[in-house]
Amino acid sequence: RTIVATIHQPSSTVFDMFDDLLLLKKGGEVVYHGELGVCCSTLISYFEGLGATPICLGENPSTWMLNQLNKQSITNSEGETESIDFSKAWKKSENYQTLGDELDQLVAGREEKLRIKSDERYSQPWYRRDKLMMIRAIRIYWRSPGYNLSRMTLAVAIALLLGSIFFPIRDKKLFSETEMDSMFGAVYIGFIIIGQLSI
């Protein structure tokens, strides 16, 4: 089973659960793509091979990796400091060539009948997509009764609090401009608060 996930600085335990990594730097350029290895050994070996600072015992590989990407220079095998662009280094690496060959083989060997294609921009019409998303949302809310109860309780409490503003002036026939602004402001704030609670 294949699962694609976007992660940012996970714990070392979570990071070790992944098989492959596609690492991008600012601008969307690929810095590393391939297997992580046992305890991220493949990833660590790759970066240390480029001259990155060796990882410390017990250090989180994902944090160490991002710290290395923030550096503008590394120490080469001769002990000299030199600037590095990790995306260019990736394109010159053996891993990049191997990955390119594997992708070429997959493209060349694919069967046309297994290719997923659609004449339309979306494979399903809008009403079918909306129906599926609505069912998904209903299931999420159905499985969280405590969350829904707390949201409804807060909504009622906020409605009573904001409604109490209008209680002293319930019999008034004419309102000044300032009072009208205050009332519209209370209604506006009520929508914002209820909207925030619905997220």
Side-chain angles (χ1 to χ4, degrees):
R1 190 173 186 181
T2 302
I3 299 172
V4 179
T6 303
I7 53 172
H8 179 69
Q9 282 187 273
S11 66
S12 52
T13 307
V14 172
F15 197 54
D16 199 36
M17 296 169 82
F18 287 86
D19 299 315
D20 297 282
L21 173 71
L22 172 59
L23 178 62
L24 306 175
K25 74 171 194 174
K26 190 174 182 180
E29 293 180 284
V30 178
V31 173
Y32 179 84
H33 185 197
E35 292 185 9
L36 287 173
V38 180
C39 297
C40 303
S41 56
T42 307
L43 174 73
I44 293 167
S45 299
Y46 171 75
F47 277 102
E48 288 182 347
L50 293 175
T53 307
I55 190 169
C56 298
L57 185 65
E59 189 175 2
N60 185 343
S62 64
T63 304
W64 171 81
M65 165 189 71
L66 292 175
N67 288 338
Q68 300 310 308
L69 288 181
N70 289 332
K71 293 182 178 178
Q72 301 296 324
S73 60
I74 56 160
T75 306
N76 61 23
S77 57
E78 298 170 1
E80 298 173 351
T81 303
E82 60 181 34
S83 61
I84 185 169
D85 183 339
F86 283 102
S87 62
K88 288 180 181 174
W90 163 250
K91 289 176 182 173
K92 293 176 184 175
S93 68
E94 291 181 20
N95 296 10
Y96 177 78
Q97 300 297 331
T98 305
L99 182 65
D101 294 341
E102 288 176 7
L103 291 174
D104 289 340
Q105 288 176 5
L106 287 171
V107 170
R110 70 180 176 185
E111 295 181 34
E112 191 63 29
K113 64 180 180 181
L114 297 177
R115 187 179 174 190
I116 300 172
K117 50 187 174 180
S118 174
D119 296 332
E120 304 294 328
R121 181 176 177 186
Y122 300 105
S123 61
Q124 297 291 329
W126 67 268
Y127 53 86
R128 169 89 173 136
R129 295 195 309 268
D130 286 355
K131 180 183 173 186
L132 291 171
M133 292 305 293
M134 183 64 72
I135 291 169
R136 178 177 174 267
I138 290 169
R139 280 186 186 150
I140 289 170
Y141 286 128
W142 183 258
R143 293 171 183 167
S144 311
Y147 172 67
N148 292 327
L149 180 62
S150 64
R151 279 195 328 150
M152 285 188 277
T153 305
L154 279 169
V156 170
I158 289 164
L160 291 172
L161 180 66
L162 294 175
S164 67
I165 296 170
F166 301 101
F167 189 75
I169 55 172
R170 65 188 183 281
D171 296 325
K172 202 169 180 181
K173 303 292 183 193
L174 296 171
F175 299 98
S176 67
E177 186 177 342
T178 307
E179 288 173 328
M180 290 298 295
D181 285 342
S182 298
M183 287 189 284
F184 281 124
V187 173
Y188 181 71
I189 289 170
F191 279 116
I192 290 175
I193 295 171
I194 298 298
Q196 288 295 320
L197 289 173
S198 299
I199 293 175

